[in-house]
Amino acid sequence: MAKEQSNSLAGQLCPMCGKKTLTLTESNIEVPFFGNTFVFTMNCVTCKYRKSDIEAEQQKEPCKYTFEVNGKEDLNVRVVKSAEATVKIPHVGTMEPGPASEGFITNVEGIIVKFKEQIEHLKNDEEDEEARKKAKNLLKKIQKVLWGDEKLKIIIEDPTGNSAIISDKAERKKI
């Protein structure tokens, strides 16, 4: 990523704890092959509330990206995900948009690690032995993908068009 400009506004009223310890930040960054992008964040130092989103400067059409991870080099592919996007990894899980959904810029590995952390959390909370076994097998599969030993498909659907998988290998469709 190239240049970044940022503006912050501290001392705002936090919607969660009601204290004036919330900082609003708007960053403007240029994402290669995606364009000028705005990143909005809210952080409260008192209650640790955090919310972020991403929006492209240019209006985009709703889109669906499909990307197959075939090896370790694919883990470095850049991903832009808006708060409105749904991320799916077939046979593993789905990250749905909603009030707690956040926009972010990461790479394919970052997306996979987010799924891994969710499955680990579910595995530890699950009392059903069959569900724990299924979670354990999913974690093994994900680890093999992270080692570059197994393939995996990632799908991002975004009604706002503010998401992207930035690779020539990514298949983009209008939805």
Side-chain angles (χ1 to χ4, degrees):
M1 283 189 262
K3 64 178 183 166
E4 178 177 336
Q5 295 177 319
S6 228
N7 294 316
S8 290
L9 189 58
Q12 300 303 299
L13 190 64
C14 176
M16 300 307 282
C17 70
K19 300 224 168 47
K20 288 191 171 193
T21 53
L22 183 77
T23 300
L24 304 174
T25 304
E26 175 185 284
S27 300
N28 183 353
I29 57 175
E30 183 72 25
V31 179
F33 310 106
F34 191 71
N36 199 28
T37 306
F38 300 100
V39 180
F40 306 99
T41 59
M42 292 188 274
N43 290 306
C44 180
V45 294
T46 302
C47 70
K48 306 298 182 221
Y49 171 72
R50 178 172 163 48
K51 179 82 174 146
S52 66
D53 199 5
I54 290 174
E55 193 172 305
E57 182 179 59
Q58 292 181 328
Q59 181 124 18
K60 307 224 182 237
E61 293 181 334
C63 62
K64 175 181 177 179
Y65 283 87
T66 304
F67 183 78
E68 187 163 320
V69 181
N70 292 316
K72 271 185 104 54
E73 64 281 349
D74 290 337
L75 298 176
N76 296 318
V77 168
R78 180 72 61 205
V79 176
V80 179
K81 182 217 169 277
S82 79
E84 291 82 15
T86 299
V87 181
K88 298 176 186 176
I89 298 180
H91 311 295
V92 174
T94 301
M95 207 183 293
E96 295 280 349
S101 182
E102 291 195 313
F104 51 81
I105 299 173
T106 187
N107 57 19
V108 167
E109 181 177 18
I111 295 283
I112 294 170
V113 167
K114 283 182 184 293
F115 273 87
K116 181 180 176 188
E117 289 168 352
Q118 286 297 315
I119 294 167
E120 285 172 342
H121 182 72
L122 291 171
K123 182 187 88 159
N124 293 336
D125 290 348
E126 189 59 57
E127 295 190 17
D128 177 28
E129 190 57 41
E130 191 62 34
R132 287 177 77 106
K133 186 177 179 182
K134 184 178 177 184
K136 189 176 177 183
N137 288 334
L138 281 175
L139 289 170
K140 284 181 186 176
K141 175 184 174 79
I142 289 171
Q143 190 57 56
K144 286 180 181 179
V145 172
L146 293 171
W147 287 335
D149 296 337
E150 195 161 324
K151 294 179 181 182
L152 188 83
K153 187 179 285 189
I154 296 177
I155 301 165
I156 299 179
E157 296 175 350
D158 190 343
T160 67
N162 286 320
S163 296
I165 299 175
I166 303 169
S167 169
D168 292 339
K169 286 178 49 180
E171 181 183 317
R172 182 184 193 279
K173 290 183 181 176
K174 294 177 186 175
I175 54 173

